[in-house]
């Protein structure tokens, strides 16, 4: 009973309300285009920022001369003490194990 001939309620002011954005389609398209350009600009800014940050970091494979990579590998293979010769070193030491710990600026 409330339905009009065109299939919409008589109480409804404009049956085409949901399509009214099409009236200003050019403005809508311009707004979307501006948003896309702004997003693209932000993406470029972030990319440049990351590249600048990358340049500030020290990356041995990139920043050291070619021969330094081999030297670094050799240094990584070295160890200060493997635990096997420590007793021998201690037995030959002439340091006093009961001596007080040295603290700079403190007089005993």
């Amino acid at each position: 009973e409330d339905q009009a001939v065109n299939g919409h309620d008589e109480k409804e002011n404009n049956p085409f309300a949901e399509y009214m954005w099409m009236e200003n389609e050019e403005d809508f398209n311009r707004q979307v285009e501006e948003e896309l350009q702004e997003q693209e600009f932000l993406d470029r800014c972030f990319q440049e920022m990351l590249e600048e940050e990358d340049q500030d970091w020290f990356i041995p494979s990139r920043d050291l001369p070619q021969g330094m990579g081999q030297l670094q590998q050799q240094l990584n293979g070295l160890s200060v003490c493997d635990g096997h010769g420590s007793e021998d070193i201690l037995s030959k030491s002439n340091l006093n194990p009961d001596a007080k710990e040295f603290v700079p600026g403190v007089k005993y």
Side-chain angles (χ1 to χ4, degrees):
E1 296 174 9
D2 289 342
Q3 294 251 338
V5 178
N6 62 6
H8 293 282
D9 291 341
E10 292 176 6
K11 298 174 186 172
E12 192 176 324
N13 293 340
N14 186 355
F16 300 104
E18 64 183 283
Y19 303 104
M20 290 308 291
W21 67 271
M22 291 181 179
E23 180 181 20
N24 301 321
E25 189 172 357
E26 291 82 19
D27 293 336
F28 178 78
N29 287 342
R30 185 173 32 80
Q31 180 183 356
V32 170
E33 183 73 27
E34 287 174 1
E35 289 173 4
L36 289 173
Q37 288 174 351
E38 183 178 341
Q39 184 62 41
E40 184 179 325
F41 174 74
L42 289 174
D43 290 344
R44 282 197 316 260
C45 288
F46 275 114
Q47 188 61 38
E48 287 178 22
M49 182 185 70
L50 290 173
E51 288 171 2
E52 287 176 11
E53 192 177 89
D54 232 9
Q55 291 173 358
D56 292 340
W57 285 93
F58 176 74
I59 302 172
S61 62
R62 179 191 70 190
D63 298 332
L64 290 177
Q66 285 302 101
M68 294 298 284
Q70 294 172 347
L71 180 60
Q72 186 178 14
Q73 286 177 350
Q74 290 173 352
L75 288 174
N76 288 341
L78 295 177
S79 64
V80 175
C81 180
D82 57 5
H84 294 299
S86 60
E87 294 87 16
D88 188 37
I89 293 171
L90 291 175
S91 66
K92 294 179 182 177
S93 174
N94 59 0
L95 297 176
N96 180 1
D98 300 324
K100 292 183 178 180
E101 182 179 347
F102 172 73
V103 179
V106 175
K107 293 183 180 180
Y108 296 100

